[in-house]
Amino acid sequence: MAISSPTQASPFLHCGSNSESDSLAILHLKRDLLIPTVLRSHDDLNEGYSEGKVSNTRFGSFPHSTLIGVPWGSQVRASAVDTGSRGRKGWEGKGKKRKRDEDRQAQDDVAVEEKLKPEIEPKAAVDAATGFVHLLPPTPEIWTASLPHRTQVVYTPDYSYILHRLRARPGTVLIEAGAGSGSFTHAAARAVYNGYPNVNTGDSSTGGSLAKRWGKVWSFEFHEQRAQKLQEEIKQHGLDGIVEVTHRDACKDGFTPNETPASDLEANAVFLDLPAPWLALKNLARASTSSPLSRTTAIHLCTFSPCIEQVQRTITALRVLGWTEIDMVEIAAHRIEVRRERVGLAEEGLRGVNDSPASVDEAVGRLREVEGRSRIFHNEGSEGEEQAAAPGPAQVSKQQRLESIRNALEGRKLFKEGRLIHKAEQELKTHTSYLVFAVLPREWSEEDEKLAQEKWPAKVEVRQEKNGPVGRRQKKKEAKAKAGGNKEFEMAATTI
Amino acid sequence: MKQELVQPYAYVALRLPSDATIVIQVLPNTTISIGKYGAFQANNIVGRPYHLTFEIRDTVTGDGRAQSGLRVVPAAELYADIKDEAPETPTEAEGGNPGAGGDGVEYEIVGQNGEVVMRTNRQILDDPNSQIMTMDEIEAFKAQSTGSGKELIAKILESHSALDQKTAFALAKYTLRKTKKYLRRFAVLPLDVPTLARWILTDKEPMKIMELREEILSLIGSWSNVHCTPSTTSLDGDGVEVKGGRWLVIDETAGLLVASMAEKMAILHPPDEDGLEAECKRSSNHEADTINGHDELEAPTTQDGAAPHLHDPRPRKASRLGTANTITLIHANAQPNLSLLKYFHFDAFNPPKSHPLESHLRTLSWLQLLSPDDDLGYTEPEIASEETIQSWKSGKRSNYYRKRRRWGRIKTIVDETRAGGFDGLIVASVMSPVSILRNTVSLLRGAAQVVIYSPTVESLVELSDYYSTGRRTAFLTNPPDSNLMPTDDFPLDPTLLLAPTIQTARCRSWQVLPGRTHPFMTGRGGSEGYVFTATRVLPAEGKVEARGKFKRRKVDGDMARSSSQQGNPASGGSGTIEVDTT
Ligand SMILES: C[S@@+](CC[C@H](N)C(=O)[O-])C[C@H]1O[C@@H](n2cnc3c(N)ncnc32)[C@H](O)[C@@H]1O
């Protein structure tokens, strides 16, 4: 896979005003139908369109020449591309392509990425009569909604809350395992990003102790293909240097990246999305010389497990290992559908409506009408007595009625008729996983405490005296300091 | 990066055994009182790490006097009451008798041979008098006690007449409850945005932040795509400054939203919090200087913070305003309300120069945005000739320069905001979102994110309806004269936002204790909180036909259908989508 040059900033982080070639872009067909594609000015896969690389979608074909260099957010028309004649001329990449397609989920909608032999000048694209897409720069949210699923992924409501609780901010160094499909990875990269380290990836070790701490995601995945695929995506997305993927079993072999000693990571946030987080926890112990955790900061941790039994084991392990502020939550999120609901006899025969009576009056009116009709029927059938009254509306046939309703449709402004309602989306995710949070305070030795006591002697200044135990205690503050010494670090008030 | 040790003058949160949080400023050499839990010396937490749990202990010295000190409570001790392998937990019970294991629920576990393994609470009378220590006795004991509260709890438990009748569950629960009440412990937490948000929502004044819950706040953060755009990093190696990262904000949560964005943009916490001490001293000295500096109240965004300008009657360079990684706040009143930023040592009326928000946050009023010529601050003060200036007394001169500078800053901010090109719009306001979008969508670049928070759903439902597929289709079919916009039918141009979506999220907390794991039984009610998201798009010139079985819809009255589908995936996408093509 082609690698974007290291000088190109990630389109996730600096998208510029216009789309550029060799960068990831999203074709927005409709909500929940988003196609990621790498824009290419010519080839990357050999398919043989005369327009150069073309993305084919259910809403038309889009030669990349029409997608490059346009302002992000533009509505782009489909082009008239001859999809029939190409490809038959002995296209060698077909088998490979099909395999790739099988990997994807929405097979129909995968942008077919094709190329032209470099010598041939791409033909200018011609607008098609219909069809368009919106061209968007990638964001972690869009990527999460459109990425090729290789595993279960963490969705936006969960990762948003997790990153918030993990205090993942510019400059945070975050460890993640397992990386899976990289959904969380991208959101984490955005959160911690505060610039590209000047040093090359691999020996960013120097970054840790320097004044500026570069935000970084150290990502671990023990499934080889997944690790490799994610690594390729990270490069493709310009996130090299911000995310580093390592193929490793985090439970068995710990958190040591390929070329960096674990002790250089100095991570201050950890996210574990793997089946047995309690097995990985032991590799996070600070005591070990190969601990990847920062010694001078508190560590925020989150584990993400679908089952309550996993949670219990994790929390037991956390307590034993001295983590504090342990807290477990789950996030339930849903989207809300807004629509206009039209009810009533006047809607009869239309689609997407409820054509039963809208009110008692309407119901009675209709009943009366039916009643009238059957009376006529009976009367005619039996004695042929002349009908008392009104042939009127009762005699309009159903067909006529439907027709007139349909005809009236043209003049109606349906978008503001009916009642405006909202309800939860049809398919609710009622459980994703349990989120366990914990904090490991910075280490604090007796030595540290002694220094702090020297620097900040607890002298007493009696302010706003209140009655009660507080005030009384304060008055007795001439007591002598008891020298530390106690394992539990007493911080006695010293007299000045 | 936030300092990892408690800095003098920092605001910190103290979490108490009751789970309540209080926020204090750590003024060195003072006593901090935490109500019934006692008091301690600020110097006993300054310079110490965050997230430690301290216990207040009064020790008696040789001469019989008490002194108050803090003890770090080791983690092991925090969990001393939790016995993970407690044999009486129901998970250990043989036969898996499915008792309804909630606390206080009748519960009986019978072993294999029929013997009762565990007591139920069936026999226990719910007698409030079973606690035979009276409140007065407890208070008296508390007054005598010098310890951390543990003895007191033990004493209370001892005196509970029915204690031996309690089931293990109930006992654990009872101990927990007593612990919360009498243990004299607290944890010191850094006051960052998550902690601040939680504190205000649960302990302080939820209405002040429009009941914005953390799970919603974090959703806003993600969907707005707010992130750091470091301006110093040259990405092309040529020292070319990266532009971008400009967000437009309407924040009526007293600055919580701004703080949350600023934290994600690395402009909330001063890079060097050692400077905090100096800064705090400066601002307390400053009070005297601002007496005749009332103009700063009129122009909170002016850079002139401190005294020097009064004695420095030279033209100074115009304010250094960052061009990337900025927040532009539009406010409805004459002044923005950003009072919560004080917890991050930022005072909008007197911005400290060392604070990153000083150059990255700019504020303007709706009047300044929409009709700047009606705003006095935007009107250029007269230019005086060099000689005239020289002839003035120094006070008048400095006043002149100050006015020019203030005007310069306002003009820069207003012009730049009106020029638009923002990367996103984030709103938490009680004003009608329709009116806000009508005046801001044009300021957004293509692909900018729009995120609007509302505590209740109704205003967002109305807004979504104005972007419904049906309405957009009608708009495109029969475009109204753009000079007549907004019209009754089209309060907003429905073609400018893509994929409008309303969503909500709710966090449910659990208690996880051995054998007693369940969701917490009470939580915060009130507003649910909703987020509207959409993407600004640039419609193609001329008529664009959607692809799909488009013709059919006209024939068989699919107009009805499209309208019924709005808000579904359909709205906001290509015009084709309301037709089912699958
Ligand atoms: C559910 S997926 C993670 C999804 C990911 N968080 C995302 O948002 O796309 C779990 C991943 O953990 C990996 N995994 C499981 N055990 C592991 C271990 N011991 N070390 C490293 N990775 C592991 C699996 O291969 C799998 O890809």
Side-chain angles (χ1 to χ4, degrees), chain A residues 299-314:
Chain A
I299 315 297
H300 289 263
L301 170 126
C302 174
T303 70
F304 191 73
S305 309
C307 304
I308 200 80
E309 292 79 5
Q310 294 168 297
V311 167
Q312 286 163 333
R313 296 187 74 163
T314 303

PDB file of all heavy atoms in Angstrom, chain A residues 299-314:
ATOM      1  N   ILE A 299      -1.979   7.720  36.708  1.00  0.00           N
ATOM      2  CA  ILE A 299      -2.339   6.972  35.508  1.00  0.00           C
ATOM      3  C   ILE A 299      -3.857   6.774  35.511  1.00  0.00           C
ATOM      4  O   ILE A 299      -4.424   6.337  36.516  1.00  0.00           O
ATOM      5  CB  ILE A 299      -1.682   5.573  35.497  1.00  0.00           C
ATOM      6  CG1 ILE A 299      -0.217   5.649  35.907  1.00  0.00           C
ATOM      7  CG2 ILE A 299      -1.887   4.902  34.148  1.00  0.00           C
ATOM      8  CD1 ILE A 299       0.661   6.441  35.010  1.00  0.00           C
ATOM      9  N   HIS A 300      -4.492   7.095  34.409  1.00  0.00           N
ATOM     10  CA  HIS A 300      -5.925   6.837  34.278  1.00  0.00           C
ATOM     11  C   HIS A 300      -6.122   5.617  33.400  1.00  0.00           C
ATOM     12  O   HIS A 300      -5.499   5.499  32.351  1.00  0.00           O
ATOM     13  CB  HIS A 300      -6.626   8.040  33.654  1.00  0.00           C
ATOM     14  CG  HIS A 300      -6.689   9.201  34.589  1.00  0.00           C
ATOM     15  ND1 HIS A 300      -7.796   9.470  35.363  1.00  0.00           N
ATOM     16  CD2 HIS A 300      -5.780  10.151  34.898  1.00  0.00           C
ATOM     17  CE1 HIS A 300      -7.565  10.541  36.102  1.00  0.00           C
ATOM     18  NE2 HIS A 300      -6.345  10.981  35.833  1.00  0.00           N
ATOM     19  N   LEU A 301      -6.988   4.722  33.866  1.00  0.00           N
ATOM     20  CA  LEU A 301      -7.169   3.475  33.143  1.00  0.00           C
ATOM     21  C   LEU A 301      -8.636   3.218  32.868  1.00  0.00           C
ATOM     22  O   LEU A 301      -9.506   3.590  33.659  1.00  0.00           O
ATOM     23  CB  LEU A 301      -6.599   2.325  33.993  1.00  0.00           C
ATOM     24  CG  LEU A 301      -6.901   0.900  33.512  1.00  0.00           C
ATOM     25  CD1 LEU A 301      -5.615   0.110  33.368  1.00  0.00           C
ATOM     26  CD2 LEU A 301      -7.839   0.162  34.455  1.00  0.00           C
ATOM     27  N   CYS A 302      -8.895   2.583  31.729  1.00  0.00           N
ATOM     28  CA  CYS A 302     -10.251   2.118  31.441  1.00  0.00           C
ATOM     29  C   CYS A 302     -10.172   0.739  30.832  1.00  0.00           C
ATOM     30  O   CYS A 302      -9.329   0.477  29.974  1.00  0.00           O
ATOM     31  CB  CYS A 302     -10.940   3.066  30.449  1.00  0.00           C
ATOM     32  SG  CYS A 302     -12.560   2.479  29.918  1.00  0.00           S
ATOM     33  N   THR A 303     -11.030  -0.154  31.291  1.00  0.00           N
ATOM     34  CA  THR A 303     -11.176  -1.431  30.603  1.00  0.00           C
ATOM     35  C   THR A 303     -12.596  -1.513  30.071  1.00  0.00           C
ATOM     36  O   THR A 303     -13.519  -0.901  30.618  1.00  0.00           O
ATOM     37  CB  THR A 303     -10.905  -2.645  31.522  1.00  0.00           C
ATOM     38  OG1 THR A 303     -11.982  -2.747  32.469  1.00  0.00           O
ATOM     39  CG2 THR A 303      -9.597  -2.489  32.262  1.00  0.00           C
ATOM     40  N   PHE A 304     -12.739  -2.256  28.993  1.00  0.00           N
ATOM     41  CA  PHE A 304     -13.990  -2.272  28.251  1.00  0.00           C
ATOM     42  C   PHE A 304     -14.371  -3.729  28.054  1.00  0.00           C
ATOM     43  O   PHE A 304     -13.744  -4.431  27.271  1.00  0.00           O
ATOM     44  CB  PHE A 304     -13.715  -1.578  26.901  1.00  0.00           C
ATOM     45  CG  PHE A 304     -14.922  -1.243  26.083  1.00  0.00           C
ATOM     46  CD1 PHE A 304     -15.757  -0.204  26.451  1.00  0.00           C
ATOM     47  CD2 PHE A 304     -15.186  -1.937  24.910  1.00  0.00           C
ATOM     48  CE1 PHE A 304     -16.848   0.146  25.663  1.00  0.00           C
ATOM     49  CE2 PHE A 304     -16.279  -1.592  24.124  1.00  0.00           C
ATOM     50  CZ  PHE A 304     -17.111  -0.552  24.500  1.00  0.00           C
ATOM     51  N   SER A 305     -15.345  -4.197  28.814  1.00  0.00           N
ATOM     52  CA  SER A 305     -15.670  -5.622  28.768  1.00  0.00           C
ATOM     53  C   SER A 305     -17.172  -5.812  28.693  1.00  0.00           C
ATOM     54  O   SER A 305     -17.918  -5.172  29.429  1.00  0.00           O
ATOM     55  CB  SER A 305     -15.188  -6.327  30.046  1.00  0.00           C
ATOM     56  OG  SER A 305     -13.844  -6.031  30.310  1.00  0.00           O
ATOM     57  N   PRO A 306     -17.608  -6.721  27.840  1.00  0.00           N
ATOM     58  CA  PRO A 306     -19.049  -6.926  27.697  1.00  0.00           C
ATOM     59  C   PRO A 306     -19.704  -7.642  28.878  1.00  0.00           C
ATOM     60  O   PRO A 306     -20.898  -7.469  29.106  1.00  0.00           O
ATOM     61  CB  PRO A 306     -19.178  -7.743  26.410  1.00  0.00           C
ATOM     62  CG  PRO A 306     -17.831  -8.288  26.128  1.00  0.00           C
ATOM     63  CD  PRO A 306     -16.832  -7.421  26.803  1.00  0.00           C
ATOM     64  N   CYS A 307     -18.955  -8.436  29.618  1.00  0.00           N
ATOM     65  CA  CYS A 307     -19.606  -9.275  30.625  1.00  0.00           C
ATOM     66  C   CYS A 307     -19.281  -8.837  32.050  1.00  0.00           C
ATOM     67  O   CYS A 307     -18.173  -8.396  32.347  1.00  0.00           O
ATOM     68  CB  CYS A 307     -19.182 -10.735  30.466  1.00  0.00           C
ATOM     69  SG  CYS A 307     -19.503 -11.357  28.831  1.00  0.00           S
ATOM     70  N   ILE A 308     -20.221  -9.032  32.914  1.00  0.00           N
ATOM     71  CA  ILE A 308     -20.074  -8.602  34.291  1.00  0.00           C
ATOM     72  C   ILE A 308     -19.007  -9.431  35.012  1.00  0.00           C
ATOM     73  O   ILE A 308     -18.310  -8.934  35.888  1.00  0.00           O
ATOM     74  CB  ILE A 308     -21.446  -8.676  35.019  1.00  0.00           C
ATOM     75  CG1 ILE A 308     -21.442  -7.804  36.255  1.00  0.00           C
ATOM     76  CG2 ILE A 308     -21.841 -10.095  35.357  1.00  0.00           C
ATOM     77  CD1 ILE A 308     -21.659  -6.368  35.962  1.00  0.00           C
ATOM     78  N   GLU A 309     -18.849 -10.681  34.601  1.00  0.00           N
ATOM     79  CA  GLU A 309     -17.827 -11.515  35.243  1.00  0.00           C
ATOM     80  C   GLU A 309     -16.435 -10.960  34.966  1.00  0.00           C
ATOM     81  O   GLU A 309     -15.558 -10.978  35.825  1.00  0.00           O
ATOM     82  CB  GLU A 309     -17.910 -12.967  34.740  1.00  0.00           C
ATOM     83  CG  GLU A 309     -19.154 -13.711  35.182  1.00  0.00           C
ATOM     84  CD  GLU A 309     -20.393 -13.365  34.366  1.00  0.00           C
ATOM     85  OE1 GLU A 309     -20.282 -12.602  33.374  1.00  0.00           O
ATOM     86  OE2 GLU A 309     -21.491 -13.847  34.726  1.00  0.00           O
ATOM     87  N   GLN A 310     -16.251 -10.456  33.752  1.00  0.00           N
ATOM     88  CA  GLN A 310     -14.948  -9.855  33.429  1.00  0.00           C
ATOM     89  C   GLN A 310     -14.708  -8.632  34.309  1.00  0.00           C
ATOM     90  O   GLN A 310     -13.606  -8.417  34.802  1.00  0.00           O
ATOM     91  CB  GLN A 310     -14.923  -9.434  31.956  1.00  0.00           C
ATOM     92  CG  GLN A 310     -15.000 -10.582  30.979  1.00  0.00           C
ATOM     93  CD  GLN A 310     -15.258 -10.072  29.558  1.00  0.00           C
ATOM     94  OE1 GLN A 310     -16.294  -9.482  29.285  1.00  0.00           O
ATOM     95  NE2 GLN A 310     -14.300 -10.285  28.667  1.00  0.00           N
ATOM     96  N   VAL A 311     -15.774  -7.880  34.499  1.00  0.00           N
ATOM     97  CA  VAL A 311     -15.667  -6.677  35.317  1.00  0.00           C
ATOM     98  C   VAL A 311     -15.243  -7.043  36.730  1.00  0.00           C
ATOM     99  O   VAL A 311     -14.356  -6.424  37.322  1.00  0.00           O
ATOM    100  CB  VAL A 311     -17.015  -5.933  35.340  1.00  0.00           C
ATOM    101  CG1 VAL A 311     -17.024  -4.864  36.412  1.00  0.00           C
ATOM    102  CG2 VAL A 311     -17.305  -5.350  33.981  1.00  0.00           C
ATOM    103  N   GLN A 312     -15.874  -8.073  37.275  1.00  0.00           N
ATOM    104  CA  GLN A 312     -15.571  -8.433  38.655  1.00  0.00           C
ATOM    105  C   GLN A 312     -14.122  -8.874  38.806  1.00  0.00           C
ATOM    106  O   GLN A 312     -13.431  -8.479  39.741  1.00  0.00           O
ATOM    107  CB  GLN A 312     -16.545  -9.508  39.135  1.00  0.00           C
ATOM    108  CG  GLN A 312     -17.912  -8.878  39.397  1.00  0.00           C
ATOM    109  CD  GLN A 312     -19.044  -9.878  39.485  1.00  0.00           C
ATOM    110  OE1 GLN A 312     -18.982 -10.966  38.900  1.00  0.00           O
ATOM    111  NE2 GLN A 312     -20.097  -9.519  40.201  1.00  0.00           N
ATOM    112  N   ARG A 313     -13.669  -9.673  37.850  1.00  0.00           N
ATOM    113  CA  ARG A 313     -12.272 -10.106  37.940  1.00  0.00           C
ATOM    114  C   ARG A 313     -11.325  -8.913  37.788  1.00  0.00           C
ATOM    115  O   ARG A 313     -10.318  -8.811  38.486  1.00  0.00           O
ATOM    116  CB  ARG A 313     -11.972 -11.146  36.856  1.00  0.00           C
ATOM    117  CG  ARG A 313     -12.790 -12.418  37.058  1.00  0.00           C
ATOM    118  CD  ARG A 313     -12.366 -13.483  36.113  1.00  0.00           C
ATOM    119  NE  ARG A 313     -11.075 -14.062  36.507  1.00  0.00           N
ATOM    120  CZ  ARG A 313     -10.641 -15.227  36.048  1.00  0.00           C
ATOM    121  NH1 ARG A 313     -11.378 -15.927  35.205  1.00  0.00           N
ATOM    122  NH2 ARG A 313      -9.476 -15.688  36.428  1.00  0.00           N
ATOM    123  N   THR A 314     -11.672  -8.039  36.865  1.00  0.00           N
ATOM    124  CA  THR A 314     -10.818  -6.867  36.643  1.00  0.00           C
ATOM    125  C   THR A 314     -10.736  -6.017  37.903  1.00  0.00           C
ATOM    126  O   THR A 314      -9.649  -5.609  38.339  1.00  0.00           O
ATOM    127  CB  THR A 314     -11.370  -6.015  35.488  1.00  0.00           C
ATOM    128  OG1 THR A 314     -11.458  -6.833  34.330  1.00  0.00           O
ATOM    129  CG2 THR A 314     -10.474  -4.831  35.200  1.00  0.00           C
TER     130      THR A 314
END
